[in-house]
Amino acid sequence: MAQMARTPRWTAHAAGLQAVWRGTLAGTVAATFLFVPPAALAQVDVGKPSSLRNLVPADQLEGSAAQQYGDLKRQAAAKGALAPDNHPQVRRLRDIAAKIIPFAGKWNPRAGHWRWEVNLIGSRQINAFCMPGGKIAFYTGILDTLKLTDDEVAMIMGHEIAHALREHARERIAKNELTNLGASLLGEFLGGGKYTGAFQLGSSFLSLKFSRDDESEADVVGMELGARAGFDPRAGVSLWQKMAAASRGAPPQWLSTHPSGSNRIQEIERHLPQVMPLYQQAAKR
């Protein structure tokens, strides 16, 4: 787990910490899931998810992620670094999430049953993530250092949600464990699933490194999610320009698990014609 930076102490009542993603916001999201507009049926094509992910039970993975996320919140709260529910940036993040999440279900039916959470952690880290099961966190460093607009926040959030929806962590753990166990067991995994569920899920989700293909896929899906929610997908370009500028010194933490790649902006620009009509349609609503 990354070391928490010292930050001014926020007052956070225990009842508030238990109320994350409940009440009005949770009700809004649950209700909106039922009323996704018909236009949402057309979507960008990134192919089928890897079948290797099926070697890791989704329920166990999401349970492990929920436990790690809870540990992270408790550590942050103990250091006064977990922002309270009424913090302006928390409200901002949750408002953006409430617009994006209703479009998640068509990418992964499990998303309709996830207990989504969005939290803000006080730290200079330039970082954000979405764990399996919809556990989202932003660090104040990524908001403050990059001075993100709402559209840019939506591109980051959409990207992170896309990793969870496409189950990249599930796939990555399966591949890592197969490598550790040896190729001789591969046939037993794929034929009959004798060892299904035997993988160790104790590794930190925050340290998983995704492949270049995973990153490209998350960019495209994230742009689509954000565009449907009414956020300008062109913000993906300005976001990566800001990220590149920030990486000239010490590389941001986000880049340790989300490598930039020299052609990332070009790839985003290449897919803009696919998602801009979705944004323009959403802007009319």
Side-chain angles (χ1 to χ4, degrees), residues 236-249:
V237 174
S238 59
L239 167 65
W240 280 101
Q241 289 171 339
K242 289 181 178 182
M243 196 68 70
S247 66
R248 289 171 189 161

Side-chain angles (χ1 to χ4, degrees), residues 21 29 32-33 36 93-105 107 116 136 150-151 153-159 161-162 165 221-222 224-231:
W21 202 256
V29 171
T32 311
F33 260 117
V36 177
L93 291 171
R94 292 179 181 174
D95 285 345
I96 292 171
K99 294 176 182 177
I100 294 175
I101 289 171
F103 297 97
W107 283 101
W116 293 87
I136 300 169
D150 285 358
D151 291 320
V153 169
M155 291 305 108
I156 291 177
M157 190 177 292
H159 176 100
I161 288 174
L165 294 176
V221 175
E224 194 233 35
L225 289 169
R228 291 192 188 282
F231 297 100

Side-chain angles (χ1 to χ4, degrees), residues 17-58:
L17 300 182
Q18 296 173 353
V20 174
W21 202 256
R22 296 176 184 172
T24 303
L25 181 57
T28 300
V29 171
T32 311
F33 260 117
L34 302 176
F35 298 100
V36 177
L41 295 178
Q43 62 187 37
V44 294
D45 183 10
V46 292
K48 295 181 179 180
S50 170
S51 59
L52 284 178
R53 77 192 194 286
N54 295 325
L55 300 177
V56 177

